Amino acid sequence: MRIEKVNLIAYGPFSKESLEFEKLEHDFHIIYGPNEAGKSSLLRALTAALFGIRERTEDNFLHHNDQMRIGMTLRRKEGETLSFVRKKGRR
């Protein structure tokens, strides 16, 4: 399974941003940028989308807990896709 797209709807310093991981020959992506560009926030967003937003998250400084949303599209080897949106909550 591979990550195709991440939608940072409302998470950390991001509002309505998205990042697509294009399928390339080697299919290896490096994310780089200057300090404070959001690389660590993106890494936390990827983890939160897959496993849930932590109850005591540090990424609610711009968006209230009930507004936090991360979307993701995953693709299986067989070509089938799964798209979902994760929201902050206890369930």
Side-chain angles (χ1 to χ4, degrees):
M1 198 169 283
R2 66 181 298 278
I3 299 170
E4 267 195 356
K5 186 174 185 178
V6 178
N7 293 314
L8 299 162
I9 301 163
Y11 188 86
F14 301 106
S15 297
K16 299 179 184 173
E17 297 287 337
S18 67
L19 182 63
E20 291 190 39
F21 296 97
E22 185 179 340
K23 175 84 169 138
L24 302 171
E25 182 181 343
H26 298 291
D27 207 22
F28 181 79
H29 300 276
I30 296 175
I31 297 175
Y32 66 95
N35 291 343
E36 302 296 319
K39 299 178 302 288
S40 296
S41 295
L42 174 61
L43 179 61
R44 286 192 303 276
L46 290 169
T47 304
L50 293 170
F51 303 107
I53 302 171
R54 293 178 30 198
E55 187 167 348
R56 295 179 186 213
T57 183
E58 303 165 359
D59 293 298
N60 59 354
F61 53 88
L62 184 60
H63 309 284
H64 295 288
N65 283 343
D66 61 340
Q67 297 172 334
M68 293 177 74
R69 302 282 188 278
I70 309 161
M72 186 176 276
T73 301
L74 304 172
R75 180 174 296 276
R76 295 183 56 176
K77 275 186 181 180
E78 298 80 17
E80 156 180 7
T81 61
L82 170 68
S83 296
F84 62 91
V85 174
R86 172 85 71 171
K87 68 177 190 170
K88 172 93 175 90
R90 290 183 168 223
R91 299 181 201 168

